[in-house]
Structure formats: structure tokens, C-alpha cells
Amino acid sequence: MNHTSFSAPGSYRHEQKLALLLCIFAIVLAVAAPRFFAPPNLAALARSMGVFLIISVGMLNVILTAGIDISAGAILAVVSVILVRFANHGMAAPYVLLLALGTGIALGAVNAVLIAELRIPPIVATLGTAGLFRGLLLEWTQGEWEASIPAWLNALGRPRWGRLDISVWAAFLVLLASGWILHRTQLGRSLFRYGDSPLSAHRAGISARAVIYYAYMSIGFLTALGAVFYAAQLGSVQGNAAVGYELTVIAAVVLGGADIFGGRGTLLGTFLGVLLLCSLQQALTLLHVAAFWQNVATGAIVLLGVLFSAASRHAKHIPSQSGAPA
Amino acid sequence: MSFYPPTLVQPSPPERARAASLRFSGNTEPFIVMPLVLLFCIYAGYRNADFWSGLNWQLLLQPLAEAGLVSIGMMFVIATGGIDLSAGSIVGVAAVMMGIGTHHGWPVWAMEFAALATGAACGAFNGILIGWLRLSPILATLGTMILFSGLGLALSSGASFAGFPDGLLWWNDATLLGIPVEFLVFVVVIALAVVLLHATLWGRYVIAIGSNHEAARYSGYPVRLSLFAVYSFQGLLCGGAAVLLTARLASARADMGQGLMLMAIAAVVLGGAPIAGGSASVLGTVTGVSAFYIVQNGLLLLGVPAFVQYALTSALLLVAVGLGNLLRGRGEEER
């Protein structure tokens, strides 16, 4: 099928630059910390990327519609607590998983209702629901930890099939499925169109409701999926889990070249953004950099990435403004 | 024929009247929020007589003042169509600087100056990224949020500082005619904000940039400098909030400003400012931030558990903004 060129991923120019950056980073690492490339370390890197990548794909869907989801961290905490609590009370695994994923989709739908029906700006709506979800969760748990998880959940987080756990394979499947939806279905294409210009999408007969509901329910679902592996890997959960997680996810997606104003962004870029952030953290740990300075480095990398994509965007899209004052 | 320099174009009287009426009709939230909060106050006072006690209001006004400073700064930022996600981190870094000052036995004025200067410097950094390098505010401050909080943690090694001198704790202890000095600082900042917003060219520029960034640029407004000033001012106010917060808690930590950023954004939005910029209301912002703290305090006295308070104040934001959208009608949709 023909795809309109304005919303197609295009030349992947940003992704090429990001890949180049990763290559330079890899060369530096090869000299500074050759242990980084030892198979156990690479497997650990992949395992640290799984959950992050799954949720980042959801965030990409939302950012493509020019939205944002500040409540993702809260949803992650709610779902993981529900999952572990009900599992610990002896609910059968399939029902618990269904309950967890259903909760994620429902919480995403709450966001979508606020944004699509009440027309609250996404940042305000998800800011509000983040507090709402987190507050109710903390009231429910009373700040207590769920310190143990049942054996089947524990097994889910354990490495298998070549040092990798299921989260890595799940992330791979999520990437494939999202790629298909974003590029081969009408709904996926309309995400790009709507993010590019809601008005022109409306004129083209695209339902804004469908786009918004899909975007926020998909991040709800993917966050819930991530929460399952999050709980499985960690082995314990609590109401204050994953505070601020969504901001790192947004950083990764944006680092991957997604336009925060919607309409532009790729799965490949998101993958590279996640890879860069995760491998940076892994490398800094290997180099014995104190955890506090790792945040400084992460912040600097995010800023550089944003600068870098802004520079290429200015050069590409606004040549006419070069003569304007300021 | 009269001549106006480009930056001083005066709207004709009918235009001005229309602009004023538009502003009124556009800003419905304070008029929804205020009666709601008043009703709530009456109910809370009826259920628990302590609600109206002087001590309760003294204790209520202090945290309100800290959040208020950040909210006023955030109001200017949001008016330009921007957002400052790094506000909480800036408060943390500034507080850590004061902690380091105590550690080295600096005099009180030097510590206060250090906090304000740190805040302003962090804000100025945001301003350079957003004004000159033209990064989108949400992304730039997302990066600096991580950067500054990392800096605060690294400088303090994740520890918390204590042992602040009495001279600093004065900010918390002192009252004037029964009103906490902290709150008086907030009142002064409110007055300053009103003057800056309504009586200076900078205030006009801020609104103009938020209404239409491109138009402001082509009109020859000093967009970059104005944005730089907006974010620096926000940083300065965050530094001020750090001084007050440190004085009240008598300790300083890198993560102590964490809740303030979201609170400030919520307060500005609750006050009826569109998140897309182009409008600012000091009255609305003060209403918004007061509503949060008054409701939270009232719920506390009503015996509502702390976490439910948190959830309910978030719900207040959603209800007020959603209700405002409904009342404003569906007309906007047809644009």
C-alpha cells in the first residue's frame, strides 16, 4: 500500500546519527571497560532494557498523538501491587495476569476519557490521574511492602533461553506488533496524522476519539505488561514503586527522535534511545561511577540528545526563518 | 496621526474591552474553585472547630508559601507556553547548597545568598537552553530535572544536612502580628508578580510569547531575553522556596523539592491558566495553590487518611479543569 510521505518514517536520518553515537560510545567502552562486552553483561543489559522498552513503545504511541502520559509510573505501581497481592492470596496465574492487564487498560481508559471527552490537556489530565492512582494505591497498601512473590511469578523473571528472561522476548514481540500496527493498519497511520495536525486528521475523517483511546489504552496495557515483568524481576513491590519512571521513559523516547509535538517518531529510534540510556547506566556502573553522578550523566545525555535532534530539525524544517530577527 | 514604537502598540478602547472580557470568560476556574473551597471550609469548620483556629492557619500558611513561590514562577513559565519540570530539582540543589554552607560554617546571609544564586543559576541554564538554543521547554527541563537532581545528590552524597543556625530558622519561627514571616514573603512575591505581569513590558512580552511565539518574534520583541528572564526568575523563586523549606524542616536534602513541581503546575492550571500559554492570572494561581493546601489541611482535620487526601486533591484538579471545559461549552471544538 502507499503511505503518505509526510508521516512515513522517512529517511531515518536521526536514527542514523543516534546509531553513530552508539558506535562511538561502544568504541570508547571497548577501550575503557572491555568487560562491558562480556556475554553475561550484555545479557544483563538486555534484561534491564525489557520492561523499559515495553513501556517506551506505549509512550511512543502517546507522544505520536502530541500527548504525554505522566501517570505511567503510577499505573506501573498500581498494576504490580494488584498483581502480587492477588497472586499471594492464591488467585490462579491466568486470572491474575488477566486482572493485571485489564487494570492497566482500564486506567489508560480513564486517561482517555479525561482527554477525549472532557478535553483536558494530556499533561494536566495524566498529572491528575498520577496523583489519584498513586494516592488510592498507597491508601490501599498503607505503605506496606509485598515482600514475596509466588513461585510462578518468580520463574517469569528468571533467565532462561540463553541468559535472557521472558521480558526481553516480550519486548521483541511488542516491537514487532507495534511496528505492524503503526505502519500497516489504518489506526496506526491515523496516529501519525492526528499528531501532525488534529484538524487535518478530522477533515480526513479520522476519529480523534479512536486515536486518543487507542493511544492511552495501549500505554496502559503495555505498562501493565511491563509491570508483570517488573514485579517478577524485582521480587517485591510497594506502593511507592517507580516514582518518576515515566519521565525517564519520555526521555528515552525523545532521545530516539520522537517529536514531542506529535506526528513524528519511530520504533527504531525509541529502541536506540532506550539502548543508549540503559547501556550508559550499565557502563557507568561498570566504571564504578557513584550512583549519584550517574543521574548527572543521564541528564547530560538527554540534553545533548534533545539539542542534537532540535538542531537537525531546525536545519531541516525552518529554513525560511533564518533571516528573521531572533 | 500618532506613532507608536512597535513594542508599545496600544490597543484601541473597544479592543481592550473585548480583550478584558475574553480574559474573564476564558478564566472560569477560579470562580469554580473559590466557592467550592469556601463551602469546603464551612463544612470543615463545622465538623472540626480547630479548622478556624489561628494555629491551624499559621501551620497551613507556611507550606502554602513555599509552594506559592514556585507556583508564581511556574505561572510566568506557563504563560510563555513553557513548562518547568526541573523546579523541584532546583529547590533540592539550592537546599543542598545551604547544607554545604552550614557544614563549612558560612554566615546566614551567605547561605541564603548561595541558595538564591544557585536557584537563579539553574534557572538561567534552563533559560539559555530554551531561549537561545530553542529547545522545547518540556524536553529541556526534563533533561535538567534529571541533571539537577543528580547534581544535588552528588554534592550531598545522598545525605541530609542538619544543624542549621538559629538565624536561618528565624524564617520559620518569626511572626508579624500573628502572621508567619514565610507567608509575608509570599505576599511580597505576589505583589511583585502583579507589578511584573501588568505594569512592565516584560509582562506583556511574556503573554505575547505565549499567545504566539512566531508573531512575538516577528514583532521584534526580545523573545530570547524574555524567556531567559522567565526561567531565571523561576529559578530564583525556587531558591527562595528552598530557603523557607529548609528553615521550616531544619534539614536539607536533594529530593526535598520533589512534590513541589507537580503541585506548582497543578496550582497554575487550577487557577485557570491554559497550559498552552498566552494567559496568566496571579489571582488564579494564588487561588489554585491555596485551594490545594486548604483542602488538604481540611481533609487532615476531618480525619481523612493522608493518601486519600493526596488522591482527592488530584481529583480536585481534574474536576475543576473538566468542569471549566464543560462550562465554557463546546464552541472551542468547532475551531
Side-chain angles (χ1 to χ4, degrees), chain B residues 248-319:
Chain B
R248 184 163 63 86
L249 302 180
S251 72
R253 265 171 54 158
D255 63 351
M256 66 196 277
Q258 240 177 19
L260 284 178
M261 176 263 289
L262 294 182
M263 169 61 77
I265 297 172
V268 174
V269 172
L270 195 61
I275 199 86
S279 159
S281 153
V282 178
L283 174 70
T285 304
V286 174
T287 308
V289 72
S290 311
F292 273 116
Y293 279 89
I294 292 174
V295 169
Q296 226 162 43
N297 175 275
L299 290 173
L300 178 75
L301 290 185
L302 291 179
V304 174
F307 302 128
V308 178
Q309 292 168 28
Y310 184 50
L312 282 179
T313 43
S314 301
L316 173 67
L317 171 71
L318 294 175
V319 169

Side-chain angles (χ1 to χ4, degrees), chain A residues 77-236:
Chain A
V78 171
V79 173
S80 57
V81 167
I82 284 183
L83 175 86
V84 174
R85 278 222 159 170
F86 280 89
N88 279 344
H89 279 87
M91 202 188 223
Y95 297 118
V96 178
L97 288 177
L98 271 182
L99 177 70
L101 297 180
T103 307
I105 295 174
L107 296 182
V110 171
N111 284 332
V113 168
L114 293 172
I115 294 161
E117 312 297 339
L118 292 177
R119 298 199 322 286
I120 302 179
I123 190 165
V124 178
T126 55
L127 193 64
T129 53
L132 189 63
F133 298 159
R134 182 81 69 179
L136 293 178
L137 173 68
L138 287 171
E139 172 58 25
W140 187 44
T141 63
Q142 289 296 319
E144 277 173 30
W145 285 68
E146 288 289 327
S148 68
I149 60 174
W152 62 267
L153 193 57
N154 205 1
L156 215 59
R158 218 174 282 142
R160 58 176 72 184
W161 301 320
R163 290 207 179 95
L164 302 178
D165 65 12
I166 300 182
S167 73
V168 179
W169 302 109
F172 183 65
L173 284 180
V174 164
L175 273 180
L176 282 185
S178 298
W180 182 75
I181 292 174
L182 280 180
H183 296 295
R184 289 285 178 270
T185 70
Q186 201 156 17
L187 184 65
R189 299 313 302 159
S190 52
L191 244 63
F192 287 91
R193 277 203 171 227
Y194 178 81
D196 214 52
S197 160
L199 188 62
S200 79
H202 177 70
R203 298 251 162 94
I206 289 169
S207 156
R209 277 215 174 88
V211 167
I212 291 172
Y213 275 92
Y214 170 72
Y216 289 90
M217 284 163 80
S218 74
I219 190 173
F221 169 74
L222 290 172
T223 305
L225 188 64
V228 173
F229 299 117
Y230 180 85
Q233 285 183 347
L234 236 58
S236 66

Side-chain angles (χ1 to χ4, degrees), chain B residues 9 12-13 17 70 78 101 126 131 143 148 167 188 233 261 267 284 322 327:
Chain B
V9 175
S12 60
V70 183
I78 289 180
N126 282 335
F148 295 153
V188 170
F233 184 54
M261 176 263 289
L327 287 183

Side-chain angles (χ1 to χ4, degrees), chain B residues 221-240:
Chain B
Y221 290 179
V223 170
R224 292 183 294 195
L225 199 62
S226 302
L227 285 176
F228 177 77
V230 164
Y231 287 92
S232 305
F233 184 54
Q234 158 74 330
L236 185 69
L237 289 178
C238 287

